[in-house]
């Protein structure tokens, strides 16, 4: 089942999306995040969607403005593709290979849940950046609260999936990570989700014998294909990632877990690292990025001008006086 959040005639609604694009609104539901929190897992969400199919249909998806399918409670973005790590390390850090520590656990960072954009929304260039990049990912959505889960238990806590574009200011990212912490303003301006939330049961036919989802991924910039990969090239499954995210803490309904960027052109920085030059060039206002994930749909967004950074002083070199 596919769910969409949308705006139509100045009202926000949530609907089940049929194959032909017809929307069946859920009566009284204006937030898919709230619905996921209330239904507590996949069976409850499917039941709510089935009930919507018993009411008269609403508009066609082409007649509405699609919104992000949900407003996440939090966003953990993992890095699970070796090929991506290799290429981006060459581009951003000037080093090669994959650190041995990377294989020890599915590493992630927290990105900004307050900067979520939907299909068709213009993506502003981050203030002070001249090297904007896209990142092709898939996001898993948590539907039930859990703590210290096993991977087997985690499967029942994933309610669905969506296409995930992790916009990255590579110049800001490269500078700030020299401090020894994760990215901050290099990732803070925008994350795009959509076009729909596809429930987990819909993707079971794509699952291989190791538990990975074999979905074809394609990235285009201005209509030209720049990357393609398989989601099953991840080094950890979404269930393993969810289990790790819940270790010593909890995951809650509405949390989003990004797969990390796929390889073979899942972002420009990987290509830059491989080629030794910025080809294709960094994104600029007017450029359109189209990400397609088999079974999940196509997410198209256009870069728009951003704002100038508000001036701030550099850090002071203090005298380190003591009381």
């Amino acid at each position: 089942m596919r769910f969409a959040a949308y705006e139509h005639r100045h009202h926000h609604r949530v609907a089940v999306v049929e194959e032909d694009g017809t929307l069946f609104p859920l009566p009284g539901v204006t937030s898919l995040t709230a619905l996921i929190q209330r239904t507590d897992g996949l069976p409850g969400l499917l039941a709510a969607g089935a009930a919507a199919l018993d009411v008269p249909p609403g508009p066609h998806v082409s007649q509405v403005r699609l919104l992000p399918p949900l407003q996440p409670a939090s966003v953990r973005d993992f890095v699970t593709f070796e090929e991506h790590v290799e290429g981006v390390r060459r581009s951003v850090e000037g080093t090669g290979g994959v650190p041995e520590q990377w294989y020890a656990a599915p590493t992630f960072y927290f990105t900004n849940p307050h900067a979520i954009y939907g299909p068709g929304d213009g993506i502003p260039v981050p203030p002070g950046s001249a090297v904007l990049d896209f990142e092709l990912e898939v996001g898993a959505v948590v539907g039930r609260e859990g703590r210290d889960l096993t991977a087997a238990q985690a499967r029942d806590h994933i309610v669905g999936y969506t296409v995930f574009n992790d916009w990255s200011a590579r110049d800001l990212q490269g500078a700030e990570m020299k401090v020894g912490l994760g990215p901050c303003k290099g990732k803070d301006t925008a994350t795009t989700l959509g076009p729909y939330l596809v429930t987990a049961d819909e993707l079971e036919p794509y699952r291989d014998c190791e538990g990975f989802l074999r979905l074809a991924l394609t990235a285009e910039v201005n209509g030209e294909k720049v990357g393609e990969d398989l989601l099953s090239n991840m080094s950890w499954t979404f269930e393993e990632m969810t289990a790790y995210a819940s270790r010593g803490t909890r995951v809650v309904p509405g949390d989003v877990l990004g797969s990390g960027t796929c390889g073979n052109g899942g972002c420009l920085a990987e290509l830059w690292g491989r080629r030794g030059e910025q080809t294709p060039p960094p994104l600029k206002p007017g450029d359109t990025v189209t990400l397609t994930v088999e079974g999940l749909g196509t997410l198209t967004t256009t870069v728009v001008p951003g704002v100038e950074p508000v001036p701030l002083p550099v850090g002071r070199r203090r005298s380190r006086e003591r009381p």
Side-chain angles (χ1 to χ4, degrees), residues 79 82-83 85-86 97-107 235-236:
V79 52
E82 289 176 287
E83 191 171 13
V85 176
E86 291 170 352
V98 178
E100 193 60 33
Q101 184 61 31
W102 180 84
Y103 297 95
T107 306
S235 289
W236 290 271

Side-chain angles (χ1 to χ4, degrees), residues 109-115 123-133 135 166-179 181-191 307-310 312:
Y109 71 96
F110 282 97
T111 194
N112 189 351
H114 309 300
I123 301 301
V125 176
S129 176
V131 190
L132 180 61
D133 196 359
E135 298 199 48
D166 171 33
W167 299 92
S168 301
R170 297 301 189 190
D171 44 357
L172 304 185
Q173 177 189 2
E176 63 201 13
M177 291 187 72
K178 292 177 181 177
V179 179
L181 294 176
C184 51
K185 285 301 173 184
K187 301 278 191 173
D188 208 29
T189 295
T191 297
V307 299
E308 292 299 313
V310 176
L312 290 173

Side-chain angles (χ1 to χ4, degrees), residues 4 10 21 56 146 176 216 268 281 289 299 302 315:
H10 308 293
E176 63 201 13
L268 297 177
V289 176
L299 184 61
T302 299

Side-chain angles (χ1 to χ4, degrees), residues 2-310:
R2 294 184 298 171
F3 288 84
Y6 66 94
E7 181 182 34
H8 185 238
R9 296 177 180 173
H10 308 293
H11 294 285
H12 286 195
R13 304 293 301 272
V14 172
V16 175
V17 188
E18 288 288 83
E19 286 296 326
D20 65 357
T22 301
L23 297 170
F24 284 81
L26 281 72
V29 178
T30 59
S31 166
L32 184 55
T33 308
L35 178 64
I36 291 171
Q37 292 167 344
R38 187 168 68 248
T39 52
D40 189 36
L42 182 58
L45 183 61
L46 291 175
L53 297 177
D54 292 332
V55 301
H60 190 269
V61 70
S62 63
Q63 299 173 309
V64 305
R65 174 186 168 227
L66 287 175
L67 303 172
L70 73 161
Q71 292 295 331
S74 72
V75 184
R76 294 173 176 87
D77 198 7
F78 288 74
V79 52
T80 68
F81 290 82
E82 289 176 287
E83 191 171 13
H84 171 73
V85 176
E86 291 170 352
V88 170
R89 288 192 83 212
R90 289 194 207 100
S91 177
V92 176
E93 301 175 26
T95 59
V98 178
E100 193 60 33
Q101 184 61 31
W102 180 84
Y103 297 95
T107 306
F108 66 88
Y109 71 96
F110 282 97
T111 194
N112 189 351
H114 309 300
I116 304 299
Y117 288 75
D121 288 342
I123 301 301
V125 176
S129 176
V131 190
L132 180 61
D133 196 359
F134 71 89
E135 298 199 48
L136 169 53
E137 309 189 23
V138 169
V141 179
V142 174
R144 292 177 56 205
E145 182 172 332
R147 174 185 289 269
D148 290 310
L149 301 169
T150 65
Q153 291 169 333
R155 181 168 296 188
D156 291 335
H157 290 256
I158 297 174
V159 74
Y161 300 88
T162 190
V163 186
F164 182 123
N165 189 343
D166 171 33
W167 299 92
S168 301
R170 297 301 189 190
D171 44 357
L172 304 185
Q173 177 189 2
E176 63 201 13
M177 291 187 72
K178 292 177 181 177
V179 179
L181 294 176
C184 51
K185 285 301 173 184
K187 301 278 191 173
D188 208 29
T189 295
T191 297
T192 306
L193 301 178
Y196 310 119
L197 173 74
V198 178
T199 55
D201 58 302
E202 293 282 328
L203 298 187
E204 282 305 307
Y206 298 95
R207 192 177 296 276
D208 68 16
C209 61
E210 294 184 275
F212 293 95
L213 299 173
R214 188 180 173 85
L215 305 178
L217 314 171
T218 304
E220 298 178 353
V221 176
N222 298 328
E224 179 180 348
K225 183 191 293 185
V226 297
E228 59 182 349
D229 201 3
L230 288 171
L231 188 63
S232 50
N233 285 331
M234 296 164 63
S235 289
W236 290 271
T237 67
F238 281 106
E239 290 79 10
E240 291 162 347
M241 292 157 54
T242 304
Y244 188 65
S246 74
R247 183 182 295 180
T249 185
R250 63 193 181 117
V251 291
V252 302
D255 282 350
V256 172
L257 282 62
S259 64
T261 308
C262 68
N264 196 36
C267 68
L268 297 177
E270 181 210 327
L271 299 177
W272 301 337
R274 186 189 307 164
R275 297 169 179 173
E277 60 182 17
Q278 288 188 342
T279 305
L283 300 171
K284 62 185 184 304
D287 286 340
T288 296
V289 176
T290 302
L291 307 181
T292 300
V293 178
E294 185 178 9
L296 298 183
T298 296
L299 184 61
T300 299
T301 37
T302 299
V303 178
V304 299
V307 299
E308 292 299 313
V310 176

